[in-house]
Amino acid sequence: MKVLALEFSTETASLALLADDRVVAARPVDASRRRSQGLFDAVENLLRGAGWGFADVDAFAVGRGPGAYTGLRVSLTAARGWALPGNKPVWTVSSGAALAAEVFAEKPEIAQVVVSGDARRGLIWAGLFERDAQQLVRQAGEWKLLPATAPDQEWPTAHWVEMARAPQAEWVGRLFFTGISSEELQPIYLHPAVVIAPRFDADGKPLNLNP
C-alpha cells in the first residue's frame, strides 16, 4: 500500500510518501505563508521525485493537531479532495501521537512523554502519551490547558518534549501502518475561547465601550 502523509500542525510542516511502512521520500514544507499553494506545489514535487502520481496513492494520512488551525484545515481539506475521485481513505491521528511515537523510538527507556504547545493567554495545551501492551502509542486521558508558568507540575515524572520540536509526516504515516483506528476528520483546536464583551445592555441600548 502506498500512502501520502501530511503534517501541518506547525509552520515547520512536512510531507512523506510511504510504501508498506517504508519511507520512500520525505520533505519539509515552509507553511508560514500561502499554505494552500505551498502544500500543492510541494506534494506535486514530492510525487514527481518518487516517480508517483496521485493515481498511485492508496490512502492519505493526516496529522490533525493540536496546533496551527489554518494549516490543519488546509491539509485535511486537501487530502479529502485528493481522495474523493477514487473514493480513497483519509486517515487521521493526533499530531501529538506522531511526535510521541518518534520520541519513544529515540528513547526506548522512557514510558511516558508529554507533548505540549502554546495556547496563548498564558496557557499551554498538553497531552500525556504512553506505550500500551503492544508497544503502540496511546494517549492517557484528555488534552489539558495548563498555566505556562509551571506546566511540569502536571505529570512531573513524564518526559516533556521540547515545545519547539515539530511532529513529522513520516511518523504520521508510520502510525497509519500500525493499524490503529482513524480519529475524526477534524482539526484538534485547544486554544481557550475568546470572550467578546457585549455591545448592548439588558434593555437593548448600545454600551459606551470607550468612555
Side-chain angles (χ1 to χ4, degrees):
M1 174 174 276
K2 294 182 177 180
V3 172
L4 168 58
L6 305 90
E7 172 42 54
F8 271 63
S9 66
T10 72
E11 291 187 352
T12 310
S14 58
L15 301 166
L17 301 176
L18 297 93
D20 298 327
D21 198 23
R22 178 178 61 87
V23 178
V24 174
R27 61 165 293 171
V29 180
D30 181 3
S32 59
R33 296 181 181 179
R34 298 177 63 201
R35 293 178 187 269
S36 298
Q37 191 58 48
L39 169 58
F40 297 142
D41 292 345
V43 167
E44 289 181 3
N45 291 336
L46 186 67
L47 289 170
R48 188 182 307 115
W52 292 13
F54 277 111
D56 298 307
V57 177
D58 299 305
F60 300 86
V62 188
R64 72 182 194 104
Y69 188 79
T70 300
L72 295 170
R73 186 180 60 205
V74 166
S75 58
L76 273 166
T77 300
R80 295 177 77 171
W82 292 325
L84 186 60
N87 195 28
K88 297 175 180 179
V90 177
W91 178 92
T92 67
V93 71
S94 104
S95 304
L99 181 52
E102 183 177 7
V103 173
F104 280 137
E106 295 172 353
K107 300 177 180 292
E109 72 278 7
I110 63 176
Q112 295 181 319
V113 300
V114 178
V115 176
S116 61
D118 183 12
R120 302 193 297 265
R121 300 174 65 194
L123 297 171
I124 66 166
W125 51 260
L128 177 68
F129 292 84
E130 58 189 20
R131 307 174 198 262
D132 65 14
Q134 287 74 43
Q135 297 297 301
L136 299 176
V137 176
R138 73 174 187 90
Q139 187 166 357
E142 302 294 327
W143 293 101
K144 295 187 178 184
L145 288 174
L146 304 173
T149 51
D152 53 359
Q153 291 182 3
E154 191 81 25
W155 308 307
T157 61
H159 173 79
W160 282 68
V161 182
E162 55 271 26
M163 287 178 57
R165 183 164 178 174
Q168 299 298 314
E170 169 187 342
W171 285 91
V172 172
R174 288 185 185 277
L175 287 180
F176 170 87
F177 282 102
T178 64
I180 61 176
S181 299
S182 176
E183 298 182 10
E184 294 182 77
L185 298 182
Q186 296 290 336
I188 301 173
Y189 188 68
L190 295 176
H191 295 291
V194 176
V195 177
I196 301 175
R199 296 181 179 274
F200 299 91
D201 63 17
D203 297 322
K205 297 179 181 179
L207 292 172
N208 183 4
L209 299 179
N210 296 293

